[in-house]
Amino acid sequence: MKKLFLASFFLCALFVKPVFAQDEVTNDELYKYAVVQETLALFQTEISAQVKEYIESQPSEIKNRYNELAGGEAPANDAEKTFIDAVNNMKSERTSEFTEAYRTLIKRLLGSEAYNEVKGAVKSDSDVKQRYDTLVQAMRAAKDEASVSAGQ
């Protein structure tokens, strides 16, 4: 009986140790996750800027009503419907392109499993979240410094 207990304990220890080892997020994984998330933010900013630029290029009678038309709050004439459809198509196309690129980036940098583990750790572990925030701040500071140096 004692041997069975020891054997069970040993087997449990073998299974428990890898679980704890997997929970630890390395700096490299955290850095790669931060790169993915910052790229996500850049994609979103780019899509938003492209849509805004398109809206601003429209005649004033249409672009000034964009919020009302997009929200379905006001009846639209044919030109306005065409405009809203074009904006929605642009958003859809850009989002589709972005989603494919985003998934590819995740797979190449981290892999789906590691990405999900790091994402979960950032959400649930305050120490990992703090490390992540510090890393992102450093990345943004370096990006801002590079932009200033380049004269942008």
Side-chain angles (χ1 to χ4, degrees):
M1 182 72 161
K2 191 173 185 181
K3 287 182 182 180
L4 181 63
F5 176 76
L6 288 175
S8 297
F9 179 78
F10 178 71
L11 287 174
C12 287
L14 285 176
F15 291 114
V16 171
K17 186 175 181 180
V19 170
F20 288 124
Q22 289 174 359
D23 287 344
E24 187 174 323
V25 176
T26 67
N27 288 337
D28 185 53
E29 290 172 325
L30 204 55
Y31 173 77
K32 289 175 181 178
Y33 177 78
V35 168
V36 169
Q37 294 307 104
E38 287 302 294
T39 303
L40 169 65
L42 287 173
F43 280 148
Q44 290 172 333
T45 300
E46 184 179 328
I47 290 171
S48 181
Q50 289 173 348
V51 169
K52 184 177 179 179
E53 182 180 324
Y54 178 74
I55 292 168
E56 290 298 319
S57 71
Q58 300 304 307
S60 61
E61 62 272 2
I62 293 178
K63 76 177 179 185
N64 292 340
R65 287 181 24 98
Y66 172 72
N67 289 333
E68 293 174 24
L69 295 170
E73 299 169 10
N77 62 37
D78 289 340
E80 293 169 336
K81 288 177 185 177
T82 301
F83 165 66
I84 292 299
D85 288 342
V87 171
N88 290 337
N89 288 337
M90 176 186 277
K91 286 180 184 179
S92 178
E93 287 173 11
R94 299 296 186 267
T95 301
S96 178
E97 292 168 1
F98 149 75
T99 301
E100 186 177 323
Y102 182 64
R103 287 180 180 154
T104 300
L105 184 62
I106 289 171
K107 287 177 187 173
R108 289 192 177 165
L109 282 181
L110 279 165
S112 298
E113 187 176 321
Y115 173 82
N116 289 329
E117 287 175 9
V118 175
K119 182 179 179 181
V122 168
K123 285 184 178 181
S124 65
D125 186 328
S126 61
D127 291 336
V128 174
K129 174 71 171 147
Q130 184 177 9
R131 286 174 40 213
Y132 172 76
D133 289 342
T134 300
L135 185 58
V136 168
Q137 287 175 352
M139 290 172 75
R140 288 179 182 167
K143 181 182 131 202
D144 291 345
E145 186 177 312
S147 293
V148 169
S149 296
Q152 295 179 351

